[in-house]
Amino acid sequence: MKITKLELFKVPPRWLFLKIETDEGISGWGEPVVEGKADTVHAAVTEMSEYLIGKDPMRIEDIFQVLYRGGFYRGGPILSSAISGIEQALWDIKGKFYNAPVYDLLGGACRDKIRVYSWIGGDRPSDVGEAAKRQVEAGFTAVKMNATEELHYIDSIVKVEAAIARIAAVREAVGKEVGIGIDFHGRVHKSMAKILAKELEPYKPMFIEEPVLPENNEALKEIARYTSCPIATGERMYTRWGFKELLAQGVVDIIQPDLSHAGGILETRKIAAMAEAYDVAVAPHCPLGPIALASCLQLDTCSPNAFIQEQSLGIHYNKGSDLLDYLKDPSVFAYKDGFVSNLTAPGLGIEVNEEKVRAMAAIGHTWKNPVWRQDDGTVAEW
């Protein structure tokens, strides 16, 4: 079997899909995208396609090695995301060839289902108590919200108190049984993160996420002294080499690699295995589309330290299209009692509605994240 064609589709709300075709009529789908940089990743995949045409799609490890190590420069969000989408599509092909879900080719299932959480509150969190209550009524047992708006290096205690009040409202609305993930989103600098981490303690978060930007991960050791809340990070880290030092530091409790950024399914399985050796849980990052989510679920099914899965249904980014719109059978992602069952169909376990993809690709998108500024005019983290 040989790869004959790669085709890319930029579809709303902010996604990039990849279809890889072979000379045996088996095709696979992947989701190579950096949010806000879809055209840049498109170009990277196109460059890589020059190597891929004519290659055996079953040799996934060898293809990864060439695409990752074959150039002088490696890693980072663009190159790693391009490789990730290609790798997902190759696994989709391989699973279809063997008539097996991808997880069966990676050791088999170690669970029957995985817990999922739902986003509430938007970029600038508001009305979170009522939103959390609605998600619990819809069957979710965990939610995640942004902790704050933008914060300066040293900022007002009023903003801290406003953030704590919102989180208190969520806890009051849903009770003690519901998990609350609190995403600092890299918006918070070390000094304010210490304050927030300490003040959040009474509300027993499920985790605090990205308390500082990954380039400041050395600060996690100090932040951990101020809280017993589990600390999560990793959505902006790439390949096992990006996670190596973080795990060795021993200060995080949950890693959140993104299977459309970190290197794909097998690479993230290797990251998860490294984390398991350090007694660290995995909660894959996935505010993306259905192909990325299917890839995450394949990983979750065969990774014993995966404990919860992000998914983007109804997330504030999804304007114009949503998670289920590109699937022929949306029921594969049916959420029941806060869990989604293992996917059982071959490959990634989903059937992409190609007609819908092509129609929406004609519309495309130009999604960019907003640029925020502090009151003094300096650029703020979004």
Side-chain angles (χ1 to χ4, degrees), residues 44 48 64-83 237-242 244 261-263 267:
M48 292 176 183
F64 176 92
Q65 292 290 326
V66 171
L67 295 181
Y68 184 76
R69 298 170 59 201
F72 186 76
Y73 297 98
R74 58 188 68 174
I78 302 302
L79 297 180
S80 295
S81 298
I83 293 171
M237 299 171 64
Y238 317 103
T239 75
R240 75 202 89 147
W241 295 282
K244 181 171 65 172
H261 302 329
E267 183 65 15

Side-chain angles (χ1 to χ4, degrees), residues 110-133:
C110 65
R111 68 178 75 245
D112 301 318
K113 57 186 178 180
I114 184 77
R115 191 182 182 195
V116 292
Y117 64 79
S118 183
W119 265 91
I120 59 170
D123 258 353
R124 296 180 183 274
S126 61
D127 301 323
V128 284
E130 284 301 313
K133 195 178 296 184

